[in-house]
């Protein structure tokens, strides 16, 4: 009799295990929104947890420090400047105090949260973006370009904004004929050209059967570890590789209660001393429950193989550089010894802008005082202006080519 030894795929993430935090470390009495929209309803960064909540007569979301636990008092201040329910919230990847919110009131607002959290209700946004004719349900910050924000609404329009100036940079109204949250079609679009890129998405690389539950199935992808997490009542996690079958099931975490939504903290916020590689904040009906993903290791030393350099707060491009056509990978930072956010030379670009004129008020606030310019700041401003001029020249050239095609009967 002979035995064949099975070949087991080697992976440092084979033994990742998930563990919910103890009850005393959860956040209780959070009135999670019941809005009928497939949204995470939660956004997390190394400083704050934000949760969209029920609010009478408008839309609101709660913001508390990441260290918060225990009961949320009903008098706790919220961000409550929308006239209708909030549908999505997203923290800026380049400033842990800046968060954007999208609402059924057709607007997108950008808020600056003070260090330590809110001490009073926040009703005045630092920027209000108005470009959609129907409710706005999707937000996405550019991962490497500072102050570039994408919004999508039920008007099938995609808008790209320079949040620092409040300018609508690109508007794509005919590139996506379906509702943007539809799963029937996926299109890869270059917003700077307004064109659908020719990518073969007709056949999936891998198919994974999932069971059904009452929870919202939310996908999260970690580019540092190439892991995909799919969460509802059960969080399943997979490793993505370049070898067939490409998607490899690792393990699952099961619980009895379905989730209302979930937040996924950036890698800068995980506890490297405990070999934590990911952390979710699961939303129950009235509770926020942290769940840690950990790789068991015996050594107390920093595990460099688990923590490749990750995206830092520093943007790789200014908004005008990206608008002018530049691309750049994210600037990386080491997590060895834990992460401490450095001061950013770009961080005050948004905060020092004068408040934009509101359409309903007719007046704007006085501009903030500007510091005495330095040679470095003057050179940076000149570079930004050159980028704007270049971007507008390229836009004019593109429009002229489109006009010529129309006149020649090619369109």
């Amino acid at each position: 009799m002979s035995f064949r030894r099975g070949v087991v795929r080697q992976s440092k993430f084979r033994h990742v295990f998930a563990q919910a935090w103890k009850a005393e470390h959860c956040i209780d009495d959070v009135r999670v929104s019941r809005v009928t929209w497939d949204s995470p309803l939660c956004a997390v960064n190394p400083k704050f947890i934000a949760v969209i909540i029920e609010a009478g007569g408008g839309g609101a979301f709660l913001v508390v420090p990441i260290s918060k636990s225990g009961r949320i008092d009903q008098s706790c201040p919220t961000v409550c400047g929308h006239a209708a329910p909030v549908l999505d919230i997203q923290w800026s990847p380049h400033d842990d105090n800046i968060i954007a919110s999208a609402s059924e009131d057709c607007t997108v607002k950008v808020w600056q949260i003070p260090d330590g959290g809110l001490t009073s209700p926040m009703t005045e946004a630092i920027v209000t973006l108005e470009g959609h004719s129907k409710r706005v349900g999707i937000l996405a910050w550019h991962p490497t370009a500072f102050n570039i924000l994408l919004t999508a609404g039920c008007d099938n329009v995609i808008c790209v904004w320079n949040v620092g100036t409040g300018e609508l940079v690109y508007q794509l109204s005919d590139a996506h004929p379906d509702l943007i949250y539809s799963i029937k079609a996926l299109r890869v679009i270059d917003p700077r050209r307004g064109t659908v890129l020719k990518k073969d998405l007709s056949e999936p690389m891998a198919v994974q059967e999932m069971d059904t539950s009452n929870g919202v199935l939310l996908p999260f992808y970690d580019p540092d570890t190439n892991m995909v997490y799919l969460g509802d009542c059960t969080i399943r996690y997979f490793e993505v590789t370049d070898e067939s079958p490409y998607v490899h099931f690792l393990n699952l975490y099961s619980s009895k209660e379905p989730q209302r939504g979930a937040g996924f903290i950036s890698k800068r916020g995980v506890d490297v001393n405990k070999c934590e590689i990911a952390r979710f904040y699961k939303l129950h009906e009235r509770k926020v429950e942290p769940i840690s993903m950990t790789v068991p290791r015996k050594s107390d030393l920093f595990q460099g193989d688990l923590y490749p350099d990750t995206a830092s707060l520093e943007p790789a491009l200014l908004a005008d550089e990206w608008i002018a056509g530049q691309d750049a990978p994210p600037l990386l930072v080491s997590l060895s010894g834990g992460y401490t956010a450095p001061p950013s030379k770009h961080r005050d670009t948004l905060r020092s802008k004068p408040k934009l004129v509101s359409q309903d008020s007719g007046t704007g606030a006085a501009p903030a005082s500007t510091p005495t310019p330095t040679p470095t700041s003057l050179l940076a401003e000149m570079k930004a202006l050159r980028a704007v001029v270049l971007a507008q020249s390229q836009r004019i050239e593109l429009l002229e080519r489109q006009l010529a095609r129309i006149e020649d009967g090619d369109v």
Side-chain angles (χ1 to χ4, degrees), residues 99-118:
I99 188 170
S101 59
S103 169
E104 286 189 357
D105 64 11
C106 306
T107 70
V108 173
K109 294 179 181 288
V110 181
W111 315 82
Q112 179 185 337
I113 307 300
D115 286 328
L118 302 177

Side-chain angles (χ1 to χ4, degrees), residues 32-39 41 52-54 85-88 104 135 260:
V32 178
S33 174
R34 298 178 180 273
V35 65
T36 55
W37 185 262
D38 286 344
S39 164
L41 301 178
I52 301 175
I53 60 173
E54 286 288 293
V86 177
L87 301 180
D88 195 15
E104 286 189 357
R135 61 180 180 172
R260 297 277 304 147

Side-chain angles (χ1 to χ4, degrees), residues 167-196:
E167 177 189 7
L168 176 58
V169 180
Y170 301 105
Q171 187 176 60
L172 309 177
S173 56
D174 54 1
H176 216 303
D178 305 313
L179 286 177
I180 306 300
Y181 61 81
S182 171
I183 61 171
K184 296 179 181 179
L186 175 66
R187 295 174 178 87
V188 181
I189 300 172
D190 182 345
R192 288 172 294 197
R193 295 179 176 85
T195 57
V196 179

Side-chain angles (χ1 to χ4, degrees), residues 43-50 64-66 90-93 95-99 264-266 268-269 279 281 313:
V44 189
N45 68 23
K47 279 188 177 181
F48 299 106
I49 304 169
V64 294
I66 193 72
Q90 294 291 332
W91 292 103
S92 166
D95 191 327
D96 286 339
N97 294 72
I98 298 296
I99 188 170
F264 186 69
I265 197 168
S266 70
R268 294 182 291 109
R279 189 190 310 157
Y281 287 79
L313 273 178

Side-chain angles (χ1 to χ4, degrees), residues 149-160:
L149 177 67
L150 178 145
T151 64
C154 289
D155 50 7
N156 298 355
V157 173
I158 300 172
C159 295
V160 180

